C-alpha cells in the first residue's frame, strides 16, 4: 500500500505541475505492469467442480454492487460477460442442471439490457447446442470490449489479485478487452456501446463506414421531369393571369387612381405564388435540393399511364407539416387468430393485401368492400375449394382475391413465375421504387436482389449474424438497407453486393425501415419500440426516438419528407416532425456529436389493434392496417 500511495502522490504532483507527457507515460507504465501481473497469475482452475462458477460470479457480483456509487455503474459492466461465459462453460463441461440453476439465479441482473440474448441462450442444454447456435459461436469467437475509467480498472485489478478469484480471473483475461480512459468515469447515459463484441460491432462499422455513399436522387427521374413540367405549366399560367390582371388594372387605374395600390400588391402576391407553384412548394424544400446521381441498374421505362398518374398526384398533393397533419384511413383485419403475418397497401390506398400463415395472400379492393363478389374462373383456378368454403361470406362469395405466394398479376389474377433461391423462410420482400427489381430478406441471414425477367437472384448480400428481418430500397435504387436480429442495420451497394454502411445502436432486433424521399436519411424501428434516424452519408444516428413501448412494425415518410409515421404493436400510430429536426441538423453539421430529437406531433391510438403497416399515398394521405383477433 505504501508503494501505491507513493505512486499516486507522484502522479498528483506531475498533474499539479502540468507535466502532462510525464504523467501519461507513468500511467501507461502502471497499466502495462498491472496487465502483465494479471496475465502472470496462474489460471489453472480446480478440478471439475461446477460450484466454482457460482461462487466466483456471486462474489464478483456482490463486490461490484457494493462499490462506490461513482464507479459502480462502470464496474457492473463486467458482470454480463462473466455471467454469459460462466453459463456457457458450465454447459460445455456437461453440468446441465447446475448451468440451469445458475442461469435462473442471476438472469434478472441482465434482463433489462440483454433480454433478447437471454431468451436465445435459455434453451441451451448441451455442448452440441453451443456449437449449433450462432449467438453462442459469436460470443465464443470474439472478445467483449468494455470501457472503464482508469480508477475503475485499478479497483477491478486489485479485487481480482487480492481475492485470487481464479475462475473470474481466467474468464476476464480470456474473454474481455478493457478500453481504459483517463479522468472521471463516464455518465450512465453517455454511451450505448460501452460493452461491445470486438469484430462484430464498432470496429467493423468504422471500417465499413469509410466508404462513400451517393445518397441523392436519380437523374432525369419521372418525378423530376414532372416537377419541372408542373413548374413550367404553373409559371405560364401565372404569367397569363398576370397579363390579364395588368390589363384590368390599367383599365381600373384609368377610372380611379387610388385603386391601383391594392391591386398592385395583389398582383405581386399572385405572381410569387404562381412562380413557385403552390403544390410544389414543399417539394423544393427537400427533394429538389437533393443531388442527382446516375443509376447503377438498368431501369425500365415508365409506362405513359404511370407518368400521367404521377403528374395527377403532384397536382393534387397536399402540403404536410407540423401544422397540417394528414388524414388517416385505418383498416382492420378481424378474426385473424394470429394468422396474419404481414400486410401491405397500394400507393393510392385502393388495394389492401394480407399474408397469412397458410401460405396464402389475399387482396381486397376497398371500393368493393360490402358488395357481393363475383367468382371468376381464374379465381377458381388459383384458390382451393376448401379455402373458399372457409372464407365464404353469407352470400357464399369471397370478398377478396386469393393467391399463393409467388409473383402474381393483380389484373390477370394469375401466377407469372416462382422464384427459388433462399433455403429458409423469407421474412420480407420489397419492390424497388421503379418496379421490375425486388429484394428479399430471409432466415438464412442473407438478402437477395431479383429481377422479374430472371428466376435466379442477381445479387446475394451476406454478412448479418442472424435473420434478416426487413429490407428497404433507397429512392435512387442504387442501394438497399437490411435490418436484422443481430441488432444492426446495413446498407448495401446493389452493383457490387458489398456492405457500405453498418449502423449500430439498437438493443433488439430491427423490424422496420424507411427511406426519406430525398434519400439522405433512413429510419429504423426495433422490437423494444425504439426508432432511430440515420444520416446515410456519415453513418451516425442523428435522432433517437423513444415513444412506443412495443415492437415498431412499420415506418413511413410523407412524400415530401416533412413527417415520419410509425406503427406499433402498442396499438398506436405516431406522427413525428422530421423537417424541423433535419433543418437544425444541417445548420449544426460542424458538430460531429450533435443529435436532435424529433418532436412527437400526434399519437393516434386504436382501440385494441396492433398496427402492421403504414403507407403515405402520393397525395399525402396516410393509410394504415392492423390485425385483431376476436
Amino acid at each position: 500500500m505504501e508503494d501505491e500511495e507513493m505512486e499516486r502522490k507522484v502522479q498528483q504532483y506531475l498533474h499539479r505541475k502540468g507535466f502532462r507527457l510525464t504523467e501519461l507515460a507513468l500511467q501507461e507504465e502502471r497499466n502495462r505492469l498491472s496487465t502483465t501481473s494479471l496475465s502472470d497469475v496462474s489460471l489453472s482452475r480446480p478440478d471439475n467442480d461446477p460450484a466454482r462458477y457460482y461462487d466466483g460470479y456471486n462474489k464478483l457480483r456482490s463486490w461490484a454492487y457494493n462499490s462506490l456509487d461513482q464507479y459502480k455503474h462502470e464496474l457492473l459492466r463486467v458482470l454480463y460477460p462473466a455471467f454469459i461465459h460462466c453459463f456457457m462453460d458450465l454447459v460445455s463441461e456437461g453440468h446441465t442442471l447446475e448451468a440451469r440453476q445458475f442461469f435462473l439465479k442471476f438472469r434478472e441482473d441482465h434482463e433489462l439490457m440483454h433480454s433478447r440474448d437471454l431468451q436465445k441462450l435459455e434453451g441451451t442444454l448441451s455442448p452440441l447446442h453451443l456449437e449449433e447456435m450462432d449467438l453462442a459461436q459469436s460470443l465464443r469467437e470474439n472478445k467483449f470490449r468494455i470501457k472503464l475509467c482508469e480508477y475503475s480498472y485499478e479497483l477491478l485489478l486489485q479485487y481480482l489479485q487480492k481475492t485470487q478469484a481464479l475462475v473470474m480471473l481466467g474468464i476476464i483475461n480470456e474473454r474481455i478487452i478493457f478500453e481504459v480512459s483517463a479522468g472521471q468515469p463516464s455518465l450512465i447515459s453517455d454511451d450505448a456501446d460501452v460493452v461491445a463484441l470486438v469484430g462484430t460491432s464498432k470496429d467493423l462499422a468504422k471500417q465499413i463506414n469509410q466508404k462513400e455513399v451517393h445518397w441523392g436522387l436519380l437523374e432525369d427521374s419521372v418525378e423530376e421531369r414532372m416537377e419541372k413540367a408542373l413548374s413550367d405549366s404553373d409559371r405560364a399560367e401565372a404569367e397569363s393571369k398576370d397579363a390579364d390582371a395588368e390589363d384590368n388594372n390599367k383599365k381600373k387605374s384609368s377610372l380611379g387612381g387610388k385603386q391601383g395600390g391594392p391591386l398592385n400588391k395583389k398582383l405581386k402576391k399572385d405572381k410569387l405564388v404562381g412562380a413557385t407553384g403552390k403544390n410544389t412548394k414543399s417539394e423544393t424544400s427537400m427533394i429538389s435540393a437533393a443531388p442527382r446521381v446516375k443509376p447503377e441498374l438498368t431501369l425500365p421505362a415508365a409506362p405513359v399511364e404511370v407518368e400521367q398518374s404521377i403528374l395527377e398526384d403532384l397536382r393534387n398533393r397536399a402540403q404536410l407539416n407540423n401544422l397540417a397533419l394528414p388524414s388517416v384511413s385505418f383498416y382492420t383485419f378481424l378474426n385473424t387468430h394470429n394468422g396474419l403475418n404481414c400486410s401491405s397497401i397500394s400507393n393510392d390506398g385502393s388495394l389492401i393485401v394480407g399474408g397469412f400463415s397458410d401460405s396464402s395472400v389475399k387482396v381486397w379492393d376497398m371500393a368493393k368492400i360490402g358488395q357481393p363478389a363475383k367468382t371468376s374462373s381464374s379465381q377458381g383456378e388459383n384458390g382451393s375449394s376448401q379455402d373458399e368454403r372457409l372464407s365464404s361470406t353469407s352470400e357464399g362469395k369471397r370478398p377478396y382475391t386469393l393467391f399463393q405466394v409467388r409473383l402474381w398479376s393483380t389484373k390477370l389474377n394469375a401466377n407469372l413465375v416462382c422464384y427459388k433461391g433462399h433455403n429458409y423462410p423469407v421474412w420480407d420482400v420489397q419492390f424497388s421504387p421503379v418496379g421490375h427489381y425486388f429484394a428479399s430478406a430471409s432466415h438464412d441471414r442473407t438478402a437477395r436482389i431479383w429481377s422479374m425477367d430472371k428466376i435466379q437472384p442477381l445479387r446475394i448480400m451476406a454478412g448479418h449474424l442472424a435473420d434478416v428481418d426487413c429490407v428497404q430500397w433507397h429512392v435512387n435504387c442504387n442501394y438497399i438497407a437490411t435490418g436484422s436480429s443481430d441488432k444492426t442495420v446495413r446498407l448495401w451497394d446493389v452493383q457490387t453486393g458489398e456492405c457500405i454502411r453498418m449502423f449500430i445502436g439498437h438493443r433488439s432486433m430491427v423490424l422496420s425501415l424507411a427511406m426519406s424521399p430525398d434519400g439522405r436519411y433512413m429510419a429504423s424501428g426495433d422490437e423494444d419500440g425504439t426508432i432511430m434516424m440515420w444520416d446515410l452519408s456519415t453513418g451516425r444516428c442523428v435522432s433517437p426516438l423513444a415513444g412506443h413501448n412495443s415492437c415498431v412494425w412499420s415506418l413511413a415518410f410523407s412524400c415530401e419528407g416533412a413527417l415520419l409515421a410509425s406503427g406499433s404493436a402498442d396499438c398506436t400510430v405516431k406522427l413525428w416532425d422530421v423537417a424541423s429536426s433535419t433543418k437544425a441538423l444541417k445548420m449544426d453539421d460542424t458538430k460531429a456529436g450533435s443529435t436532435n430529437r424529433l418532436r412527437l406531433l400526434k399519437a393516434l391510438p386504436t382501440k385494441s389493434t396492433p398496427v402492421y403497416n403504414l403507407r403515405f399515398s402520393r397525395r399525402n394521405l396516410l393509410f394504415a392496417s392492423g390485425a385483431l383477433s376476436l
Side-chain angles (χ1 to χ4, degrees):
M1 292 299 295
E2 292 180 358
D3 293 339
E4 292 178 3
E5 290 178 1
M6 181 63 69
E7 290 179 0
R8 190 170 290 107
K9 289 180 179 179
V10 171
Q11 185 174 357
Q12 291 175 353
Y13 172 80
L14 294 174
H15 181 75
R16 188 168 59 252
K17 293 296 184 179
F19 300 140
R20 184 61 180 163
L21 294 178
T22 307
E23 182 186 3
L24 292 175
L26 179 62
Q27 289 179 1
E28 292 177 359
E29 182 67 15
R30 290 178 62 191
N31 292 339
R32 186 183 65 80
L33 292 175
S34 299
T35 304
T36 303
S37 63
L38 177 61
S39 301
D40 291 340
V41 176
S42 174
L43 300 180
S44 60
R45 299 175 181 175
D47 294 334
N48 198 15
D49 179 15
R52 69 192 190 278
Y53 291 103
Y54 182 94
D55 294 340
Y57 178 81
N58 191 39
K59 290 178 180 178
L60 176 65
R61 176 179 179 271
S62 299
W63 172 79
Y65 275 103
N66 291 321
S67 300
L68 294 174
D69 291 340
Q70 186 178 3
Y71 305 100
K72 181 191 297 186
H73 69 275
E74 286 198 341
L75 296 173
L76 290 176
R77 296 169 186 169
V78 182
L79 294 185
Y80 178 65
F83 168 78
I84 287 295
H85 285 290
C86 282
F87 171 71
M88 290 194 294
D89 283 351
L90 285 168
V91 172
S92 64
E93 294 175 6
H95 304 298
T96 304
L97 179 60
E98 290 82 358
R100 173 63 49 196
Q101 293 174 345
F102 176 86
F103 188 87
L104 296 176
K105 173 70 175 178
F106 299 112
R107 71 170 295 170
E108 187 177 354
D109 295 345
H110 316 288
E111 194 72 47
L112 179 63
M113 298 290 294
H114 306 282
S115 60
R116 186 70 181 178
D117 291 348
L118 296 180
Q119 291 173 8
K120 293 181 179 180
L121 290 170
E122 189 174 13
T124 305
L125 301 175
S126 69
L128 182 61
H129 289 170
L130 290 178
E131 296 176 2
E132 295 176 346
M133 183 182 295
D134 295 333
L135 175 61
Q137 290 180 7
S138 177
L139 292 171
R140 287 301 205 189
E141 294 172 359
N142 299 281
K143 291 186 177 182
F144 281 93
R145 183 187 60 239
I146 298 180
K147 297 180 181 179
L148 296 177
C149 76
E150 184 181 9
Y151 192 72
S152 296
Y153 181 67
E154 291 178 357
L155 289 175
L156 178 63
L157 292 182
Q158 291 174 14
Y159 165 79
L160 294 172
Q161 291 171 2
K162 289 179 182 178
T163 60
Q164 291 294 302
L166 296 182
V167 173
M168 292 298 102
L169 191 60
I171 289 177
I172 290 174
N173 193 51
E174 296 170 12
R175 306 293 185 182
I176 298 177
I177 298 174
F178 291 101
E179 186 176 307
V180 181
S181 59
Q184 296 297 316
S186 61
L187 298 176
I188 297 177
S189 58
D190 270 358
D191 194 347
D193 198 27
V194 291
V195 179
L197 277 177
V198 176
T200 62
S201 180
K202 206 169 185 179
D203 297 332
L204 180 59
K206 284 183 178 179
Q207 180 182 355
I208 291 175
N209 291 351
Q210 292 176 354
K211 301 174 183 177
E212 188 177 3
V213 172
H214 302 285
W215 54 267
L217 303 179
L218 284 177
E219 292 180 348
D220 197 32
S221 63
V222 176
E223 287 81 2
E224 185 180 11
R225 295 199 307 271
M226 294 305 167
E227 185 179 341
K228 289 180 180 178
L230 185 59
S231 299
D232 294 341
S233 174
D234 287 345
R235 190 176 295 109
E237 183 179 352
E239 290 175 355
S240 175
K241 290 182 178 179
D242 289 344
D244 294 341
E246 286 177 2
D247 292 340
N248 293 333
N249 187 28
K250 289 179 181 178
K251 294 179 181 179
K252 293 183 179 180
S253 297
S254 62
L255 296 176
K258 292 185 179 181
Q259 294 181 357
L263 285 172
N264 285 333
K265 291 181 181 180
K266 185 178 185 301
L267 283 173
K268 291 180 181 179
K269 181 180 178 182
D270 291 342
K271 188 173 183 178
L272 180 62
V273 173
T276 14
K278 66 176 182 178
N279 292 320
T280 58
K281 185 177 180 180
S282 59
E283 294 291 313
T284 58
S285 60
M286 291 183 65
I287 299 178
S288 298
R292 264 47 182 182
V293 299
K294 295 181 179 180
E296 295 183 2
L297 294 173
T298 304
L299 302 182
V304 177
E305 58 269 18
V306 174
E307 294 191 358
Q308 292 177 347
S309 174
I310 295 175
L311 175 60
E312 180 67 20
D313 287 331
L314 282 173
R315 289 185 182 277
N316 294 281
R317 181 172 296 177
Q319 298 179 28
L320 298 183
N321 51 50
N322 54 5
L323 300 177
L325 301 181
S327 299
V328 182
S329 295
F330 191 86
Y331 304 112
T332 302
F333 292 86
L334 299 175
N335 303 316
T336 57
H337 302 291
N338 297 321
L340 179 69
N341 296 320
C342 56
S343 65
S344 188
I345 306 169
S346 62
N347 283 330
D348 59 0
S350 62
L351 298 177
I352 307 294
V353 60
F356 295 86
S357 298
D358 60 358
S359 298
S360 67
V361 176
K362 300 175 183 178
V363 180
W364 283 265
D365 187 338
M366 293 296 98
K368 298 179 181 178
I369 290 294
Q371 299 180 3
K374 296 181 179 180
T375 306
S376 63
S377 58
S378 59
Q379 290 175 344
E381 293 174 0
N382 295 327
S384 65
S385 58
Q386 181 180 2
D387 286 339
E388 187 170 352
R389 288 196 301 271
L390 290 174
S391 58
S392 62
T393 61
S394 58
E395 293 84 8
K397 306 282 181 70
R398 285 190 313 223
Y400 55 82
T401 303
L402 176 65
F403 300 111
Q404 301 298 325
V405 179
R406 299 184 180 194
L407 179 64
W408 295 87
S409 168
T410 56
K411 292 184 178 180
L412 301 176
N413 288 346
N415 174 227
L416 301 181
V417 66
C418 177
Y419 300 93
K420 296 182 179 179
H422 290 289
N423 299 320
Y424 292 92
V426 176
W427 301 134
D428 192 19
V429 177
Q430 293 290 335
F431 262 103
S432 74
V434 297
H436 188 71
Y437 299 100
F438 58 95
S440 57
S442 172
H443 175 62
D444 64 11
R445 298 182 290 180
T446 68
R448 305 188 183 212
I449 296 178
W450 312 72
S451 66
M452 292 174 57
D453 57 349
K454 293 180 174 63
I455 62 173
Q456 298 297 328
L458 304 179
R459 297 287 184 275
I460 299 177
M461 281 71 174
H464 281 293
L465 304 178
D467 295 34
V468 182
D469 299 300
C470 53
V471 63
Q472 184 65 47
W473 284 83
H474 192 271
V475 291
N476 64 23
C477 303
N478 290 336
Y479 310 102
I480 65 166
T482 54
S484 171
S485 294
D486 65 9
K487 307 174 188 177
T488 68
V489 179
R490 297 187 182 221
L491 188 71
W492 308 82
D493 188 319
V494 299
Q495 186 63 34
T496 63
E498 294 182 355
C499 177
I500 58 174
R501 284 290 180 272
M502 184 175 177
F503 306 94
I504 298 173
H506 286 285
R507 295 183 175 178
S508 60
M509 60 191 297
V510 181
L511 300 174
S512 55
L513 296 168
M515 293 285 182
S516 65
D518 64 349
R520 180 174 181 179
Y521 300 103
M522 176 181 65
S524 57
D526 64 24
E527 188 182 33
D528 291 340
T530 301
I531 303 170
M532 290 189 166
M533 182 86 77
W534 307 92
D535 187 334
L536 297 184
S537 59
T538 62
R540 65 186 177 93
C541 178
V542 298
S543 183
L545 308 178
H548 293 288
N549 53 36
S550 188
C551 309
V552 180
W553 290 119
S554 184
L555 293 166
F557 280 93
S558 60
C559 297
E560 80 289 344
L563 303 179
L564 174 69
S566 57
S568 171
D570 63 7
C571 304
T572 62
V573 174
K574 294 183 184 291
L575 296 173
W576 308 86
D577 184 5
V578 176
S580 59
S581 178
T582 53
K583 182 179 179 181
L585 176 68
K586 292 174 183 176
M587 296 173 61
D588 202 20
D589 267 342
T590 55
K591 297 181 180 179
S594 63
T595 57
N596 297 275
R597 291 193 176 272
L598 267 65
R599 181 164 60 99
L600 177 62
L601 296 176
K602 194 169 186 178
L604 304 169
T606 66
K607 190 172 276 188
S608 58
T609 305
V611 183
Y612 269 23
N613 187 262
L614 296 172
R615 170 86 69 177
F616 276 95
S617 74
R618 288 198 182 100
R619 300 188 183 187
N620 267 337
L621 300 177
L622 178 60
F623 296 92
S625 63
L628 178 63
S629 294
L630 298 176

